[in-house]
Amino acid sequence: QVHLTESGGGVVQPGGSLRLSCVGSAFTFSAFGMHWVRQAPGKGLEWVAIIWYDGSEKYYGDSVKGRFTISRDNFKNTVFLEMNNLRAEDTAIYYCVREEIHIVQGVPQPGLGTHWFDTWGQGALVTVSS
Amino acid sequence: QSALIQPRSVSGSPGQSVTISCTGTSSEVGGYDYVSWYQQSPGKAPKVIIYDVTKRPSGVPYRFSGSKSGNTASLTISGLQAEDEADYYCCSSTGSYTWVFGGGTKVTVL
């Protein structure tokens, strides 16, 4: 069964740093673009970042650009989110999310994303507080 | 990257239909057929129920349907059931490799 498992959440002071990890299992990790989506307590979903299947391209939401860095290690089936200069408003559950890929004549197309999210992790809570 | 606009809440009795709107701009919702909808129950991760504006993933009940007109997408739940009570979020990619979610709509089954 396809699974995503986040780790690395915790409490950090304003201005501090934290790195989240997400391990994928039961699928060909290197074929899929991976995202991070966050949800502040009692609030809605906010898209944070994407990294392409091969790590060649990365894009970020405006609120984290310049402070967060997404990366991946396809040998370890892991995607990371390095978060620096953290602010109180970064407090949220951070979900690791897989973007589905196109299947052509029954064959999955690595890197050919579909623009929707088919698998979500259980989330990692990050609390920024002094 | 402003959030897409959704009503804060909608409600209906069992068996009724409810529709949730999702309004954006021509830069996302109106410009691409990449609108998806996610259902989130309390304490759980979101789950996709509609993608590419109108398509349902395998296992999602037929009573969930999606549509779009101009810059507004809509999710309709026909034959509302108690288990449909949840938060619903629309999402659209922007064509520049960024995504934007709606603010979320709480569906209450009366």
Side-chain angles (χ1 to χ4, degrees):
Chain A
Q1 184 177 355
V2 173
H3 210 64
L4 296 171
T5 304
E6 301 96 337
S7 61
V11 181
V12 61
Q13 292 189 338
S17 299
L18 206 60
R19 187 173 87 152
L20 301 180
S21 301
C22 168
V23 178
S25 58
F27 67 99
T28 305
F29 186 81
S30 60
F32 290 82
M34 297 297 297
H35 300 247
W36 289 93
V37 173
R38 70 183 182 181
Q39 185 170 34
K43 301 298 184 182
L45 302 172
E46 180 186 11
W47 179 80
V48 174
I50 179 184
I51 184 167
W52 283 22
Y53 71 112
D54 59 358
S56 62
E57 298 280 339
K58 308 169 187 181
Y59 297 88
Y60 301 90
D62 287 343
S63 62
V64 307
K65 205 174 296 184
R67 299 186 301 123
F68 288 13
T69 302
I70 189 171
S71 61
R72 66 190 297 160
D73 181 341
N74 284 343
F75 294 105
K76 296 183 178 179
N77 290 351
T78 303
V79 61
F80 305 96
L81 186 68
E82 183 78 35
M83 303 181 291
N84 297 318
N85 191 21
L86 282 160
R87 307 165 181 166
E89 54 265 36
D90 296 318
T91 295
I93 295 173
Y94 285 74
Y95 292 103
C96 171
V97 184
R98 188 181 85 165
E99 180 182 343
E100 176 65 293
I101 57 175
H102 284 286
I103 298 175
V104 178
Q105 295 184 332
V107 179
Q109 303 298 302
L112 192 56
T114 58
H115 302 263
W116 56 279
F117 310 129
D118 71 326
T119 304
W120 297 63
Q122 85 287 350
L125 177 62
V126 173
T127 302
V128 184
S129 174
S130 54
Chain B
Q1 294 172 353
S2 298
L4 305 176
I5 305 299
Q6 295 182 232
R8 296 275 313 248
S9 65
V10 298
S11 62
S13 300
Q16 287 187 330
S17 293
V18 295
T19 296
I20 302 168
S21 60
C22 170
T23 302
T25 71
S26 58
S27 296
E28 357 80 2
V29 174
Y32 309 92
D33 287 336
Y34 293 141
V35 176
S36 51
W37 289 89
Y38 301 85
Q39 177 191 60
Q40 186 179 34
S41 298
K44 299 285 186 64
K47 167 193 165 187
V48 63
I49 54 172
I50 294 289
Y51 67 95
D52 290 355
V53 179
T54 62
K55 299 176 183 176
R56 270 178 295 100
S58 174
V60 173
Y62 288 104
R63 64 181 182 274
F64 292 96
S65 63
S67 63
K68 190 182 83 167
S69 177
N71 296 335
T72 298
S74 298
L75 172 71
T76 298
I77 310 174
S78 306
L80 197 61
Q81 299 188 7
E83 61 261 35
D84 299 333
E85 189 160 288
D87 293 325
Y88 292 81
Y89 296 90
C90 62
C91 181
S92 177
S93 67
T94 67
S96 56
Y97 304 110
T98 61
W99 278 253
V100 61
F101 283 92
T105 299
K106 181 177 180 59
V107 171
T108 301
V109 182
L110 302 172

